[in-house]
Amino acid sequence: MSYALDFGTSNTLITRINPVTEQTEIIKLPVFCQQLGNNPPLIPSLLYVENAHHPKILVGQEVSDRGLKLSNNPRFFSHFKRGIGSNIQGFLPELDGKTITFEQVGEWFLTALIEQLKNESATPIESLVLTVPVDSFEAYRHWLSQVCQGWNIEQIRLLDEPTAA
């Protein structure tokens, strides 16, 4: 099965072509997604670190549902995509004896989504397209390529966001 993942600053979206209807459909990962009214199911790009040393994290809507979306809590991360691949890291918290980078938060977030997608899917993920900002730094693309290597997916492609749209 082929999927596309649009990792956004505020929200993330996973899609595929439905093999029966041959139409594009948005994938709903139950714990991670938020769906308001008739809007598509979106995954808020949020992460909460319960334990950084032995990575235990919460992702997406489950962060909000548990009341952990607190901007003054160093374990809560939002808008972390902006810092990935950037030389300007800003404040990097130390949690459980480990300095947490935006790259680490992004890897935890995306890997959690891929693992959940694999668990929910009846068929293996054969290919994945990931969108990247057109003006992204080479460091961002390199980081994303490195993260993807740990997912055991046969074919992964990076596509500029405007082209994907």
Side-chain angles (χ1 to χ4, degrees):
M1 182 67 58
S2 297
Y3 293 88
L5 191 151
D6 179 24
F7 172 32
T9 301
S10 299
N11 293 295
T12 297
L13 188 71
I14 302 173
T15 63
R16 71 173 185 170
I17 302 290
N18 183 305
V20 175
T21 65
E22 297 184 2
Q23 299 294 312
T24 304
E25 66 182 8
I26 297 171
I27 303 301
K28 183 175 183 177
L29 297 177
V31 175
F32 298 157
C33 283
Q34 167 191 60
Q35 188 166 7
L36 302 173
N38 292 328
N39 293 318
L42 299 174
I43 302 165
S45 297
L46 305 174
L47 185 127
Y48 184 87
V49 180
E50 289 187 329
N51 187 318
H53 188 66
H54 303 288
K56 183 170 182 191
I57 59 163
L58 301 173
V59 171
Q61 187 60 33
E62 71 179 331
V63 174
S64 293
D65 290 348
R66 291 191 184 190
L68 300 171
K69 191 176 172 182
L70 305 167
S71 60
N72 63 345
N73 187 333
R75 294 183 177 278
F76 169 69
F77 293 88
S78 65
H79 304 287
F80 48 88
K81 179 183 173 184
R82 293 178 181 163
I84 295 171
S86 170
N87 290 329
I88 303 170
Q89 289 289 317
F91 172 74
L92 298 175
E94 185 176 309
L95 303 175
D96 308 314
K98 181 177 181 175
T99 299
I100 306 301
T101 64
F102 292 118
E103 288 80 6
Q104 180 64 72
V105 173
E107 180 177 351
W108 283 337
F109 178 79
L110 291 174
T111 299
L113 297 184
I114 295 300
E115 287 175 2
Q116 188 63 29
L117 182 60
K118 285 179 176 181
N119 289 339
E120 298 279 328
S121 179
T123 59
I125 302 172
E126 295 168 353
S127 85
L128 178 67
V129 174
L130 293 151
T131 61
V132 293
V134 71
D135 60 348
S136 68
F137 303 104
E138 190 61 33
Y140 180 95
R141 290 173 177 269
H142 177 72
W143 164 81
L144 188 55
S145 295
Q146 293 292 86
V147 169
C148 293
Q149 289 179 9
W151 295 342
N152 195 27
I153 297 173
E154 188 174 323
Q155 181 183 46
I156 296 179
R157 293 175 287 166
L158 304 182
L159 185 63
D160 289 330
E161 288 172 351
T163 303

